[in-house]
Structures are given as C-alpha cells and as structure tokens.
Amino acid sequence: MALSTHTTSTGYLLPSIHSAPPFFTQQPNPTTLAIATEHWVKLITGYARHRKLFFLRVEDAESPGNDWAEVLRNERINRRLPPTYLSYILEILVNKNLAAYEPPAQTRAVMLFWRLPEEWAEVLHEWATSTGQLNSILTFYDITDPPLESPLTGIPIPLLRRAIGILTKSNRAQIISIPDGEGVRFFPGNKYVG
C-alpha cells in the first residue's frame, strides 16, 4: 500500500506517514523513535488546533469514537496508537512545553498548548481591547463563555490563569477578588517581551 495523505471527516489533512503501519508502534531504535514521535507531536498539536481540543488522555487511545479517534487510529490499515506509546508522547509534549499534565500530579492526561500560554495572553488582551473590556472587571466565565463566540470560547480555566499571569507580569491585567470567586481587569499596555 502506498503512503498517502487522507482528509478526516472533520476536514483535517492527515500526513502520509499516518498511513504507515510502523508509525503506530513505539520504535525500538532511538533515532527512528525520535523522528516518529516528532511527527506525532506535530500531528497532535495541529489536530488539536484544527478541532479546538484542549485535552488529551491516555484513555483516548483505547476507546473508539472519541474526539481523537480519527488521529489515534487508522481503520484503513487497521492500526491504532497503543496507550503506552501515547503516554510516552504526552511526556514529550510536556517536556517541550507544548502541554502540561492536567490535573497536575498525574501523567495520564494533558492540557495541550496548540497556542503557547504567551500567545493566549496576546489573544486575551487583544480580545479585551477590541471588545471594549479594558478597565472592566470580568469573571472567568465572561471570558470562556462570551455572548458572541470568540477565540477564547471554551478555553480551560488553568490555561486562562496562565495567560492572565503573563499579562499580570506586564501590568496589562490584574486578578480581582469578587463575590463569586475571581475576576480579572485588563489594562492598556504594550506586548509582553520576556
């Protein structure tokens, strides 16, 4: 069978390596493993961005029909990514700062950074500026579930906190205690460099 690209039902173009049976096996040769794993890292982060997926769990490799099935499986060649290999890939994603274990203190689930926290901070500040939210106090819910869909719709609270923390360091945001928990106030300012 010749290697070929494939467009998934969600419109994502899988690279030709996805049709190679050895791609779904954790290779014993360190060089081959490093190359294949780098392809998996790119595939996972690209697909997550395409689908706006924030979480990946080792269990996603075991159960068909989940949000990740069309990437972690290839029914055309009867292959699926083994959970042990996915666990290894999650560790690599965390080591490359492209993910963080979420919840912390476990190694079976990650929150993916298909945009780095610094990039989310810029998206967040641009959103606050363009929607006239500067100097207003917003709840995290106001940001993650706005009346009109935005690039921040559905962003996980731990990732939102990281982005706000970055803006706080550059004096472009401030965490505020409010009766229902925490809120944030955004201030005008320059892009964070550091």
Side-chain angles (χ1 to χ4, degrees):
M1 178 179 166
L3 299 183
S4 62
T5 60
H6 176 75
T7 303
T8 67
S9 62
T10 62
Y12 187 75
L13 181 65
L14 293 169
S16 59
I17 195 169
H18 193 264
S19 62
F23 185 55
F24 290 85
T25 304
Q26 191 167 350
Q27 298 296 311
N29 178 295
T31 303
T32 308
L33 176 62
I35 292 167
T37 301
E38 187 57 33
H39 280 287
W40 273 113
V41 165
K42 288 178 184 171
L43 178 58
I44 287 168
T45 54
Y47 184 75
R49 179 184 283 265
H50 172 75
R51 295 275 317 272
K52 285 190 82 174
L53 299 174
F54 290 100
F55 296 99
L56 178 57
R57 298 176 310 274
V58 172
E59 291 75 31
D60 291 330
E62 299 170 313
S63 56
N66 63 55
D67 287 338
W68 290 96
E70 61 186 14
V71 168
L72 302 181
R73 295 172 174 268
N74 186 335
E75 302 299 339
R76 293 170 294 127
I77 59 170
N78 197 27
R79 291 287 190 269
R80 69 179 182 89
L81 189 67
T84 53
Y85 189 17
L86 180 55
S87 183
Y88 174 78
I89 294 167
L90 297 184
E91 180 183 346
I92 298 299
L93 284 160
V94 169
N95 290 341
K96 290 178 167 275
N97 292 319
L98 295 172
Y101 289 116
E102 186 62 39
Q106 56 78 42
T107 59
R108 293 192 56 84
V110 296
M111 177 174 54
L112 294 163
F113 301 149
W114 41 270
R115 277 193 178 129
L116 297 175
E118 295 79 9
E119 294 172 304
W120 279 113
E122 294 310 316
V123 169
L124 178 57
H125 196 267
E126 288 169 17
W127 172 82
T129 302
S130 68
T131 58
Q133 305 293 343
L134 295 180
N135 296 312
S136 301
I137 297 174
L138 300 170
T139 65
F140 291 174
Y141 178 80
D142 293 332
I143 298 167
T144 62
D145 194 15
L148 298 175
E149 187 163 331
S150 83
L152 300 158
T153 299
I155 185 173
I157 298 299
L159 184 52
L160 178 61
R161 284 184 186 281
R162 284 178 184 240
I164 292 169
I166 291 164
L167 293 175
T168 300
K169 288 178 185 172
S170 61
N171 296 318
R172 295 188 295 157
Q174 174 187 24
I175 296 282
I176 307 284
S177 292
I178 56 175
D180 293 337
E182 290 179 306
V184 61
R185 178 182 292 152
F186 296 99
F187 305 108
N190 296 326
K191 187 173 179 177
Y192 178 70
V193 274

